[in-house]
Amino acid sequence: MRIVSTSPQSPDDVVIDVPEGDIVGAVARARTAQREWATTGPAVRAAALDAIADAIAGSDLAQLIVREVGKPITEAKGEVARAVAIFRYYAQQAYDPIGETYPGGLAFTVRRPRGVAGLITPWNFPLAIPVWKAAPALAFGNAAVIKPSPDATACALRLAELVEGHLPDGLFAVVPGGPQVGTALVDSADVVSFTGSGGVGRQVALAAAERGIPAQCEMGGLSAAIVLPDADLDRAATDIAYAAMGFAGQKCTATKRVIVVGSGTREALVSAVDALRVGDPTDPTTAVGPVISAAARDRVVEAGGAVLDADGWFVRPTLVGPGSRLDREEVFGPIATITEVADVDAAIALANATDYGLVTSLYTADLTAVVSYVERCESGLVKVNMPTAGVDFHLPFGGERGSGYGGKEQGKAAAAFYTLSRTVQLSR
């Protein structure tokens, strides 16, 4: 089987055409390399991650991200900068304490790496997501084997080229492939981190549970932005328009449901959406590029979107009324619903009325009352006067219910996921 990735804005442009890789061999080599890596000191690991950060900073990855997945160049450059910052952050975490001491004699805990981390990554953040999984895995003494989305294979292989020479041979690997390669990785790794669809994520979680290994699965969202009557309307409309439509709405944290208490928001939001530039992702002024594929375009059109007359898979940013499939189903594209409700209680109830639970955003000037609102939101992340889209890598990230399974990603939470805790007691 061959893996072929084409450019969504120029479908005749074949970005890469490579054979499916040998995942079993990659895991075996990674396991051998990891045994030595686990014994290295923090200075060695930190230096290696810093060197990788330098290599990424000086690379052509932003242009490749634009070409392969259609991400607007301004966002692509931001993604590269984030990847650099993530590697530097975890380079320093290599020096962090690895356990705790307890009273009652000499008793303490230590943490040790799990072994080979199997990382299954999507196309929409072709650099940041592989990096925010691999960097902590490596910092804490693991090997990392990545099975990227076929639609982001070129970006992942370019990352592997930049890593080469900074880590022991075999410790970090990218293996192109489809579902069978992903299955084989779950069947052979010691810990698994997955980002993708809910259906596949549940399969990964079950397979990992059968093997008795930990898994974290980030499985999308149907995130809501709630606008209360006292909110700064211009700020809310600007934030929500970009959170819903930027990068053609192809983010798990994208706003998919706008819930309004009061009036006036619809007009402001429509105006803000209309102000977003749609078109060539190489143009720094573009906010909305193409969706990833013809199939993705068709799903958006079926949900109420409209095709733009242009080469590539472009769809017009669209707001639709309540009661559609978009209130229940995540459609990856520049489309969202807007619903007016009577009061804040109805707004929060509607925001919670989904199988997902990734992000809820609240726009209000009442920061006293917002504490109670936050407690009632059934999502892994709650943001106040901030867009749903956007993740700070030093904070734990992950959803509830159908949006997430297993431990949180990023920040200090990554140490708990990629390491085992061992309790030690000493007696004279």
Side-chain angles (χ1 to χ4, degrees):
M1 177 178 173
R2 297 194 68 82
I3 302 300
V4 180
S5 175
T6 59
S7 176
Q9 61 267 25
S10 303
D12 292 335
D13 176 17
V14 176
V15 182
I16 198 166
D17 181 343
V18 293
E20 200 166 61
D22 174 16
I23 197 73
V24 174
V27 171
R29 290 187 293 274
R31 182 159 283 114
T32 299
Q34 188 271 332
R35 294 190 186 103
E36 180 178 350
W37 181 248
T39 65
T40 61
V44 173
R45 295 181 198 166
L49 298 191
D50 271 330
I52 294 168
D54 290 340
I56 292 172
S59 75
D60 58 352
L61 267 167
Q63 289 72 29
L64 184 57
I65 290 170
V66 174
R67 182 184 174 200
E68 187 168 34
V69 304
K71 180 166 288 191
I73 184 62
T74 301
E75 278 206 45
K77 289 180 178 179
E79 183 169 345
V80 172
R82 175 184 294 188
V84 171
I86 290 170
F87 266 114
R88 298 208 193 285
Y89 173 76
Y90 283 108
Q92 293 307 302
Q93 281 212 29
Y95 291 102
D96 275 6
I98 58 170
E100 301 169 311
T101 58
Y102 293 83
L106 185 53
F108 59 93
T109 61
V110 293
R111 288 196 168 273
R112 55 196 176 95
R114 292 187 181 273
V116 176
L119 313 176
I120 301 174
T121 61
W123 54 264
N124 60 331
F125 286 88
L127 179 61
I129 291 180
V131 165
W132 85 43
K133 295 178 187 294
L138 294 166
F140 303 128
N142 300 277
V145 178
I146 298 174
K147 202 295 286 185
S149 165
D151 291 322
T153 298
C155 290
L157 289 174
R158 180 64 179 132
L159 174 61
E161 291 174 355
L162 295 169
V163 168
E164 189 174 359
H166 300 297
L167 295 172
D169 290 344
L171 188 72
F172 178 95
V174 170
V175 183
Q180 290 184 334
V181 171
T183 298
L185 182 56
V186 175
D187 288 344
S188 55
D190 302 307
V191 57
V192 175
S193 182
F194 166 89
T195 300
S197 71
V200 177
R202 286 186 287 273
Q203 293 175 21
V204 169
L206 285 170
E210 287 178 353
R211 292 190 56 225
I213 64 170
Q216 58 183 190
C217 300
E218 196 286 298
M219 298 177 289
L222 202 60
S223 296
I226 299 172
V227 185
L228 301 184
D230 61 355
D232 180 332
L233 194 54
D234 289 339
R235 175 182 179 180
T238 300
D239 279 2
I240 294 169
Y242 195 83
M245 310 300 174
F247 185 33
Q250 299 174 120
K251 302 172 184 176
C252 61
T253 56
T255 300
K256 295 300 179 185
R257 297 174 298 145
V258 185
I259 302 170
V260 179
V261 179
S263 60
T265 301
R266 179 185 295 272
E267 293 75 16
L269 184 56
V270 168
S271 178
V273 169
D274 287 344
L276 297 174
R277 181 176 175 84
V278 183
D280 180 4
T282 65
D283 185 338
T285 66
T286 293
V288 185
V291 294
I292 191 64
S293 65
R297 177 200 60 188
D298 293 345
R299 284 191 290 271
V300 178
V301 171
E302 290 169 6
V307 174
L308 287 175
D309 184 15
D311 292 335
W313 316 125
F314 289 88
V315 186
R316 186 182 305 281
T318 305
L319 289 168
V320 300
S324 75
R325 59 187 279 200
L326 294 170
D327 288 327
R328 305 175 303 278
E329 177 185 339
E330 182 184 34
V331 174
F332 239 41
I335 189 166
T337 63
I338 182 166
T339 306
E340 295 179 353
V341 297
D343 53 38
V344 66
D345 292 334
I348 294 174
L350 183 57
N352 292 339
T354 170
D355 292 334
Y356 292 99
L358 187 54
V359 191
T360 306
S361 181
L362 291 155
Y363 285 88
T364 178
D366 190 347
L367 297 185
T368 300
V370 83
V371 174
S372 67
Y373 303 158
V374 166
E375 291 176 349
R376 294 159 60 190
C377 293
E378 298 174 1
S379 54
L381 295 88
V382 181
K383 297 185 173 185
V384 179
N385 296 325
M386 297 174 65
T388 59
V391 176
D392 291 310
F393 58 79
H394 64 289
L395 301 177
F397 173 79
E400 300 176 1
R401 296 177 291 167
S403 287
Y405 170 87
K408 301 291 188 182
E409 295 195 83
Q410 305 193 99
K412 298 293 186 182
F417 180 71
Y418 287 111
T419 60
L420 288 159
S421 179
R422 171 176 286 165
T423 300
V424 180
Q425 290 180 280
L426 276 70
S427 177
R428 293 181 181 177

